[in-house]
Amino acid sequence: MSKVWVLTEWSNEGPLGVSLELLTLARELAEEVSAFSFGGDPSSQAEVVGSYGAGRLFHISGLEDTLPAPPVSTVMASKISSGDLPDVILLASTYDGRDVAARLSAKLDRPVLTNVVELTKKDDRLYSSHAVFGGTQIVTATITAPPPAIFVVRPKSTTAQPSGGGPAELEEVGFGDLGATGAAKVVSRHIEEATGPKLDDASVVVSGGRGLGNKESYAMIEELAKLLHGAPAASRAVVDAGWVPYAYQVGQTGKIVKPDLYIACGISGATQHLVGMKGSKKIVAINKDPEAPIFQVADLGIVGDVHKVLPKLIEALSSK
Ligand code: FAD
């Protein structure tokens, strides 16, 4: 295995954490790592991807009003048809990553493995692990089709570590006529206003569940998160009830987080929730039911009513 391609994704603040994780993973798999990107400032991107071990950065330009997946998959597929064949393509389990993977799979007629939580190399073959049945079972898969093997990897599957390398060699790449796939245009962009750390990167996460009882009580979660310089989060029950947006959801169908501290408030601890937070370094659970499954993964359990415990915690921290 010699060549790995990584699709990196960027926000206004810089690379997504998962993109740096993928570059780190790619370095462990092959000697030659190339990154792809779109939007943003290509020169600073070349520095960042280089410092995570990529030798080349292909920056796809001219995407201002085009959805990313059609041009990105077109550029990757045409590079491959012109003879630049990677062994592996790594994409993040994000909206754009999944979209590019599906299009690539169809264009190249190659299988794609999604929801990867671990990727290991043995005897020059890659094995991917996938959490199934709400994270209660892990299955291992491998691709036997000719390269490239396409993997869509979940965030937090590995820890991002810089390699200390210099800037990657930058190449601007355009794309031709996208035909019907280019017909959808981006007409406006909305940047979600947020204060405090992002849920994906926060070292403290305070998460609320149905046990809060109503939307108004969720304000306690936000307040505690702010006092601890952390990010607020929620179980799916809370998201489904419309108390907070989907971006707050932790779990199998939400985000996977691994903070230093995860405080679960009024959350039962269903396996679909645990799969998103059980990798946290320390878990504190507040639940009025001493038999709640969340206590099985908690380092510290508080059996009590969130409406009594949370105000006390907030009061104690506010007076500091
Ligand atoms: P509940 O299970 O209703 O638990 C509420 C808890 O609050 C109880 O333990 C109760 O004892 C406690 N409580 C009640 N009142 C108080 C009080 N006053 N003080 C203290 N404690 C109190 N769930 C996720 O979270 N994330 C996912 O990504 C996710 N994906 C799913 C995917 C699939 C395919 C399926 C089928 C389900 C998924 N779920 C997910 C849903 C999951 O199964 C649970 O239904 C959900 O996690 C329950 O949320 P909860 O713990 O907030 O609510």
Side-chain angles (χ1 to χ4, degrees), residues 263-267 284-288 295 302 304-306 309-310 313:
I263 308 181
C265 312
I267 292 178
V284 174
I286 308 167
N287 197 303
K288 69 177 185 185
F295 287 131
I302 302 172
D305 186 337
V306 282
V309 179
L310 286 176
L313 262 177

Side-chain angles (χ1 to χ4, degrees), residues 147-168:
I150 307 170
F151 295 99
V152 180
V153 183
R154 292 200 66 156
K156 309 285 176 195
S157 298
T158 190
T159 307
Q161 269 166 353
S163 65

Side-chain angles (χ1 to χ4, degrees), residues 37-53:
S37 70
F38 53 89
D41 171 28
S43 308
S44 59
Q45 290 176 356
E47 280 184 29
V48 175
V49 300
S51 71
Y52 279 80

